[in-house]
Amino acid sequence: MLVDTPARTADRAQTARRLLASARVTDGPDMPVDRVPGWLAEHARRGRFEVTPIPFEGLRGWYFDQGNGNLRHDSGRFFAVEGLHVLADGLPARGWKQPIIVQPEVGLLGIVAREIDGVLHFLMQAKMEPGNINMLQLSPTVQATRSNFTGVHNGRGIPFLDLFMERGRARVLVDVLQSEQADWFLAKRNRNMIVEIDEDLRPGPDFCWLTFGQILRLLRLDNVVNMDARSILACLPTAGAVAGDPGDPVLRSFHDPAAPALGTMAEIHSWLTGVRALRELVQCRVPLGEVAEDGWVFGDREIGHDSGRRFKVIGADISASNREVAAWSQPLIQPQVPGLMALLVKRINGTLHALVQARVDVGHLNVAELAPTVHCRPADHTGPGTEPYPPFLADVLGTPDGLIHYDAVQSEEGGRFYHAVNRYTIVEAPDGFDEDVPEDYAWLTFAQLTELLAHSHYLNVELRTLVVCAHTLY
């Protein structure tokens, strides 16, 4: 009989109350929030960080497989760039082929939490990723692929990994598998965790303790809090923090479990299940060379689309003084234009609701996930020969300044994507905006969204960013 130490899991409503208290503490003496950008900049100045695009033949440890043309690592681990043939609603009958990152292993994204002076704090790291537009961003305590924490790279150990890997070592506040960008990854998942400790850690100069309120202030800035940290923090529970009418419709939307909602959780589950059952998504991995049939052009330094749109696959040589490995090379995905991730919100029955869509992307594991109201690259919809406007894009682009409640540029995963940034915005619908929406859209409260985030594969990574950024509205 296998005897295991049980995991200690915190009560969700109690965690929600403590999170709200932490959100109200917007500064602290140990690391004043105004010092954080300078703290990151100082780490960048003191470190040695270089990222240089190179020809594919210069990639150390990577090769194009002679059998299928796929771009692989010598170890057989980490990830590969392969071809994907997709049949889906909205595509031509013969489907679509494109390069895709295939990384079957599940990574770990983890944040350590503890109470300091009675307030919940989170241990954040100044971490370099090769694709970050500004090199260093505020990152989780631990951010590692399975190949990293099993030592495939032969690098240094990962600080604080044991707090997440040893059952019973800490109280679990969040533990859930979540997807990553499904237009560039095939069925990629990471384990998102927050664990709470009572012991006094001395984390070192690359780490700092911040309240949730401090992190929310930093989320108002461009390219400070990285994608992985945003993903994890979005998964924190919120329902149950307040009882009765809190007055503020945003606070009610997040924290009042009795807040009026346009639809029940059972109706939301049934709606999304129906979309997943009825929409078509057939994924076939094919040799990378086959993507040339759909306009992908192979060069010595990049694989790009002949339209000049979409994205490129490039090679990069990297050195970093504060990483587990000091120097390496790898392929990266480089998008051609920035995206727009917009959430339209509306007060319905005294509670703020968010308009989300059930979106099918080429790499989804389970056909569709909930996504922002608008999830697109606007440049793809302007000019001759471009795609029609998606629903609500014109509404978002025409929003007057007074109804824009959040607006910042945020970087995407810097470990696999090169200078990938999107504009994230939350805009309020004007008076008279019709609540009747297309069948693949629905209005949800933020408490409903955070309850779905207790489970895997309901909200995509872009919507998770907007959920945590929406906390800044109250």
Side-chain angles (χ1 to χ4, degrees):
M1 179 178 177
L2 178 64
V3 178
D4 194 8
T5 304
R8 295 184 289 154
T9 305
D11 176 77
R12 287 180 61 80
Q14 182 184 39
T15 300
R17 290 190 290 272
R18 298 169 68 213
L19 179 68
L20 180 56
S22 182
R24 288 169 166 160
V25 179
T26 58
D27 219 339
D30 293 335
M31 176 60 80
V33 70
D34 292 340
R35 279 184 48 202
V36 173
W39 177 73
L40 291 169
E42 178 61 24
H43 275 74
R45 285 191 295 270
R46 287 188 322 197
R48 180 177 54 84
F49 308 110
E50 295 181 6
V51 179
T52 306
I54 59 172
F56 291 124
E57 66 178 8
L59 290 172
R60 302 186 305 278
W62 295 84
Y63 69 100
F64 284 99
D65 191 308
Q66 292 186 353
N68 53 32
N70 295 338
L71 185 53
R72 300 189 177 280
H73 192 261
D74 287 343
S75 67
R77 303 292 296 275
F78 297 109
F79 65 95
V81 181
E82 302 184 8
L84 184 70
H85 183 197
V86 181
L87 301 173
D89 296 328
L91 292 180
R94 64 180 183 83
W96 164 260
K97 293 179 181 178
Q98 69 167 73
I100 197 87
I101 295 177
V102 178
Q103 187 171 348
E105 62 185 29
V106 176
L108 174 65
L109 308 176
I111 296 176
V112 174
R114 71 179 288 250
E115 279 197 1
I116 301 174
D117 297 329
V119 177
L120 197 62
H121 284 64
F122 301 92
L123 184 60
M124 310 303 290
Q125 179 183 181
K127 187 175 180 66
M128 177 270 189
E129 290 289 355
N132 284 348
I133 199 165
N134 53 354
M135 289 293 183
L136 272 80
Q137 295 186 10
L138 202 63
S139 306
T141 318
V142 171
Q143 182 178 315
T145 66
R146 182 174 178 83
S147 292
N148 291 148
F149 60 74
T150 56
V152 173
H153 55 23
N154 295 317
R156 298 192 300 268
I158 299 171
F160 311 118
L161 180 64
D162 56 318
L163 295 173
F164 300 90
M165 304 301 290
E166 297 177 12
R167 284 173 59 84
R169 177 79 184 274
R171 286 183 299 281
V172 176
L173 305 185
V174 167
D175 192 359
V176 62
L177 292 176
Q178 297 292 9
S179 62
E180 294 209 8
Q181 282 86 352
D183 47 355
W184 298 329
F185 278 118
L186 179 62
K188 177 69 172 70
R189 300 176 296 164
N190 277 323
R191 187 180 185 183
N192 287 230
M193 295 186 73
I194 300 178
V195 299
E196 184 181 5
I197 60 170
D198 297 320
E199 59 194 276
D200 183 12
L201 287 185
R202 301 193 179 279
D206 292 340
F207 296 84
C208 68
W209 292 102
L210 297 173
T211 68
F212 192 49
Q214 289 178 293
I215 296 170
L216 294 180
R217 287 183 61 184
L218 294 167
L219 281 167
R220 287 279 184 181
L221 306 178
D222 293 348
N223 299 315
V224 172
V225 182
N226 86 345
M227 185 204 79
D228 298 313
R230 302 192 306 263
S231 173
I232 302 166
L233 293 167
C235 298
L236 279 160
T238 63
V242 296
D245 184 359
D248 185 343
V250 186
L251 198 64
R252 171 185 284 186
S253 181
F254 271 106
H255 293 293
D256 183 1
L262 201 59
T264 66
M265 291 300 293
E267 290 168 338
I268 293 164
H269 283 286
S270 180
W271 163 69
L272 183 57
T273 299
V275 172
R276 288 171 167 173
L278 297 175
R279 297 288 293 273
E280 180 184 39
L281 179 63
V282 180
Q283 302 154 321
C284 300
R285 289 161 64 177
V286 299
L288 181 58
E290 285 192 19
V291 304
E293 299 170 7
D294 272 306
W296 294 90
V297 179
F298 289 71
D300 294 337
R301 304 181 70 94
E302 63 182 45
I303 302 168
H305 198 259
D306 60 11
S307 66
R309 298 179 183 270
R310 311 284 297 178
F311 60 88
K312 298 177 181 179
V313 181
I314 65 171
D317 196 52
I318 302 146
S319 61
S321 57
N322 71 344
R323 291 291 299 257
E324 294 83 19
V325 175
W328 73 97
S329 58
Q330 67 172 86
L332 291 166
I333 296 287
Q334 181 182 14
Q336 294 291 80
V337 293
L340 172 64
M341 309 298 158
L343 198 58
L344 195 64
V345 297
K346 179 177 172 64
R347 302 180 191 200
I348 302 173
N349 299 325
T351 305
L352 196 71
H353 285 64
L355 182 60
V356 300
Q357 61 168 307
R359 177 182 172 88
V360 180
D361 266 323
V362 297
H364 273 149
L365 181 65
N366 200 12
V367 182
E369 293 188 8
L370 300 186
T373 318
V374 173
H375 179 142
C376 73
R377 290 176 289 270
D380 290 345
H381 307 280
T382 56
T386 53
E387 304 167 22
Y389 262 41
F392 306 108
L393 175 58
D395 297 283
V396 169
L397 294 179
T399 300
D401 290 345
L403 295 180
I404 299 174
H405 298 307
Y406 177 87
D407 197 359
V409 174
Q410 302 290 358
S411 296
E412 302 305 328
E413 171 56 72
R416 298 290 177 266
F417 312 139
Y418 184 71
H419 292 184
V421 295
N422 289 317
R423 178 192 173 197
Y424 283 89
T425 186
I426 301 173
V427 301
E428 185 174 352
D431 291 340
F433 189 87
D434 196 348
E435 293 171 16
D436 292 330
V437 293
E439 62 182 13
D440 50 349
Y441 286 77
W443 295 98
L444 277 69
T445 69
F446 284 99
Q448 290 174 324
L449 291 170
T450 56
E451 284 304 298
L452 290 173
L453 282 168
H455 309 281
S456 304
H457 310 307
Y458 278 101
L459 273 66
N460 74 2
V461 66
E462 292 85 0
L463 182 53
R464 295 200 298 276
T465 281
L466 284 164
V467 166
V468 72
C469 292
H471 281 276
T472 67
L473 304 187
Y474 62 80

